[in-house]
Amino acid sequence: MTDRTDVRAALLGGKTFRSLSEQRLSPKEEKFERARQTLGFFLAPAAAITFAILPMTMDRTQQLLAAVLLGVIVLWICEPVPIPVGGLLGVAAVVILGVAPAADVLAPFGSTTIFTFIGAFILAQAMLKHGIAQRLAFAVLSLPGVATSTYRVIIAFGVITCLLSAFVSNTATVAMLMPTALGILAVIGQLMQDRGIVSADFDPLRLRVGAALMLMLAYGASVGGLLTPVGSPPNLIGRGLIEEATGERISFAQWTAAAAPLCLAMFVVLALVMFLLNRPEVRRIEGVGEYIREQRTAHGRMSRAEVNTLIAFGFTVSLWLLPAAAGLVTGTDSDIYVLLDDRLDEGIVAVLGASLLFILPTNWKERRATLNWSDAARIDWGTIILFGTGIIFGSLLAATGLAETIGTAASRNLNVTNVVAVTAFSAVLAVLISETTSNTASAAVVVPIVIPLCTAMGLDPFVPALAATFAASFGFMLPVSTPQNAIVYGSGAVPIIRMIRTGLVFDVAGALLIIGIVPVMVAITGIGR
């Protein structure tokens, strides 16, 4: 008799980075995965060693870093070892080869992004443990017309993610919504299993509908983050560099007016790409409405633990939103905005909110808190390590000058000579660098390259620099490209090959949209003029 899959345990059990023995694959899939991993064992060191010994004119430190990064990218793509381990091997190689001292290399592990991950993951763990993810999932599914279509569920999550990420950190937005998305995916998977649409022993982590939902969260956050100057760190970095170089101020309203058409166009393209490449196994499932009503009734009133979790969650979100709200009211140049933005660091807020879970009691007499440390220890440390290594490589790209070397060499070899060509070059370069480093590092590296490049050519740097700033928020192919990519990959529901394929198509489409729309919107809105 075939064992029946426990869909909820598979999706909400926190298992990530599974080896071949932990997955249910068809014979053809297993053959491909085995060949991919075997290739990685040999290709990664071969590629790194070959690049390191090639006679090149570039600085030796930069060449060694590029060689290591090339090997790590192969490890990430082929997965002969778990992706976090591939990153750690690269970090070790960088230190052993003398690219930089260990203390300098490991310093980015203490960045605010890492603490945002830890705090947000602990909050998410509480939402999963106490059933809030399921409760919210049923609430979303019960909205008129949503539950009848997997496509509408995915679109609904994309819209919510875009709007939230315009004001809240992209990382925080995805971390907040992912437990709910997993809850909804568990419901869909359970319904598909109950109705015989899939086999009883199917693997719910390999559903196309799951990959589409998770990727919509990650990519939707990147799209929404473009909408306001405070939507993501690259926006603030790029805006500051552009204002300094041009002497023209970019107001909150101007930025939003210029970015809105781009965000709208990108969301439409995102939906098309998502459904073309990750078409859900089922479009409609009859009886979902009745099932949802039954489950909502069965859940009854909220428990003390659920209330406490929502208090901690609301406290965290409120503090995340407070600087943005102040910026809307008083302007991003005001003293109060600067103070709040400086003091209410998103990483500190995340761990502070998570700490409330260990303080708010569910039973005071027994001194029982909402969450205990055993629960917190089960968060996805693999994803935290993975993105930590990504931050390290981003920092090294900037510190060694490798990113600038790549940019100037590409510009010289491609012979860009006019504003259209420079804009295209800027956007493509920012996307490429974002794939292997943080978005923030991409903006900090590319915009300073673009501005003097335009000045040397006698071109207005405004449009190319703004295009590079927007493109720096891209990077959709790899888990380490953005924190939100790492979070959804950590769910286990997005195979690396599916992320690469979908991300590549959206990278190309997004770059084309930036190249086409940004110059038009700058002319229409008069931004920075």
Side-chain angles (χ1 to χ4, degrees):
M1 180 177 176
T2 302
D3 291 334
R4 183 179 173 88
T5 297
D6 186 336
V7 178
R8 180 176 170 80
L11 288 170
L12 306 180
K15 293 183 178 180
T16 61
F17 309 112
R18 300 177 301 163
S19 65
L20 282 178
S21 61
E22 295 177 289
Q23 303 179 51
R24 290 194 180 96
L25 306 175
S26 67
K28 187 177 293 187
E29 287 174 328
E30 185 171 350
K31 183 179 180 180
F32 171 78
E33 293 295 327
R34 198 175 301 280
R36 177 169 66 92
Q37 293 187 359
T38 302
L39 175 66
F41 272 117
F42 299 99
L43 182 58
I49 293 170
T50 300
F51 193 91
I53 62 177
L54 283 175
M56 303 182 73
T57 57
M58 67 190 305
D59 179 81
R60 182 60 181 165
T61 299
Q62 294 180 12
Q63 184 174 353
L64 288 175
L65 175 60
V68 172
L69 188 55
L70 179 61
V72 170
I73 290 173
V74 173
L75 290 178
W76 283 338
I77 293 174
C78 295
E79 286 188 285
V81 295
I83 282 189
V85 175
L88 290 176
L89 287 173
V91 171
V94 163
V95 175
I96 291 172
L97 292 174
V99 173
D104 295 342
V105 170
L106 297 176
F109 259 120
S111 72
T112 184
T113 305
I114 298 300
F115 282 92
T116 302
F117 267 73
I118 293 172
F121 281 3
I122 292 175
L123 286 165
Q125 183 69 19
M127 293 179 72
L128 290 173
K129 176 183 178 180
H130 299 301
I132 291 179
Q134 283 291 91
R135 189 183 288 276
L136 290 176
F138 291 131
V140 173
L141 284 174
S142 65
L143 293 174
V146 172
T148 58
S149 168
T150 52
Y151 287 75
R152 289 186 197 134
V153 169
I154 294 169
I155 291 293
F157 262 92
V159 171
I160 293 168
T161 305
C162 279
L163 293 177
L164 281 176
S165 60
F167 301 98
V168 181
S169 146
N170 296 349
T171 308
T173 299
V174 174
M176 287 188 294
L177 291 178
M178 194 180 73
T180 306
L182 285 173
I184 285 180
L185 183 56
V187 172
I188 293 173
Q190 186 74 60
L191 289 168
M192 291 172 65
Q193 185 184 56
D194 292 343
R195 286 156 178 74
I197 297 171
V198 293
S199 61
D201 64 340
F202 83 114
D203 186 351
L205 288 171
R206 293 188 65 82
L207 292 174
R208 291 193 304 273
V209 64
L213 184 58
M214 292 294 108
L215 290 175
M216 179 60 85
L217 281 181
Y219 298 171
S222 293
V223 171
L226 300 178
L227 186 59
T228 67
V230 297
S232 68
N235 295 358
L236 292 171
I237 291 173
R239 186 178 71 160
L241 291 170
I242 292 170
E243 289 180 341
E244 182 180 347
T246 64
E248 300 289 343
R249 183 178 179 276
I250 305 173
S251 71
F252 195 101
Q254 283 180 317
W255 181 288
T256 303
L262 176 63
C263 291
L264 180 60
M266 287 183 65
F267 186 81
V268 172
V269 172
L270 172 59
L272 292 174
V273 169
M274 200 61 64
F275 294 137
L276 286 173
L277 298 183
N278 305 283
R279 184 170 57 86
E281 289 82 355
V282 60
R283 183 176 188 129
R284 300 179 67 87
I285 305 178
E286 298 299 329
V288 173
E290 292 80 358
Y291 179 84
I292 297 304
R293 282 192 290 272
E294 292 173 4
Q295 292 299 314
R296 294 191 75 184
T297 301
H299 270 70
R301 297 182 62 182
M302 295 186 71
S303 66
R304 180 73 253 174
E306 288 178 279
V307 172
N308 288 348
T309 302
L310 286 178
I311 290 173
F313 181 78
F315 173 82
T316 306
V317 173
S318 296
L319 292 188
W320 273 335
L321 281 170
L322 191 56
L328 282 172
V329 175
T330 66
T332 54
D333 294 327
S334 67
D335 291 340
I336 188 169
Y337 171 78
V338 172
L339 177 65
L340 291 174
D341 190 54
D342 181 53
R343 300 293 175 86
L344 296 181
D345 175 84
E346 68 177 33
I348 299 301
V349 168
V351 295
L352 185 61
S355 298
L356 285 179
L357 296 168
F358 303 94
I359 298 172
L360 297 173
T362 56
N363 188 316
W364 175 249
K365 289 184 178 180
E366 298 178 8
R367 299 299 188 270
R368 187 185 306 154
T370 308
L371 210 62
N372 56 53
W373 188 248
S374 297
D375 298 318
R378 288 196 289 269
I379 67 172
D380 187 10
W381 292 104
T383 296
I384 293 169
I385 292 172
L386 167 64
F387 199 73
T389 59
I391 295 175
I392 285 174
F393 283 115
S395 175
L396 290 172
L397 275 167
T400 62
L402 178 58
E404 185 175 354
T405 297
I406 294 171
T408 53
S411 171
R412 184 172 58 251
N413 293 330
L414 292 174
N415 194 30
V416 290
T417 57
N418 58 66
V419 70
V420 175
V422 175
T423 299
F425 166 75
S426 304
V428 172
L429 181 61
V431 171
L432 290 175
I433 292 181
S434 290
E435 286 296 350
T436 53
T437 182
S438 73
N439 300 152
T440 303
S442 178
V445 167
V446 178
V447 177
I449 292 174
V450 169
I451 291 174
L453 182 65
C454 290
T455 303
M457 293 180 181
L459 302 174
D460 184 350
F462 193 90
V463 170
L466 188 62
T469 301
F470 284 140
S473 287
F474 280 32
F476 302 111
M477 286 175 57
L478 295 171
V480 295
S481 300
T482 66
Q484 52 269 28
N485 283 18
I487 291 173
V488 300
Y489 183 76
S491 71
V494 185
I496 186 67
I497 295 300
R498 192 169 291 279
M499 177 177 278
I500 291 173
R501 184 178 63 177
T502 308
L504 174 61
V505 174
F506 193 46
D507 269 342
V508 173
L512 291 174
L513 287 173
I514 286 175
I515 294 166
I517 293 176
V518 169
V520 175
M521 293 312 301
V522 167
I524 291 174
T525 62
I527 181 174
R529 297 292 187 270

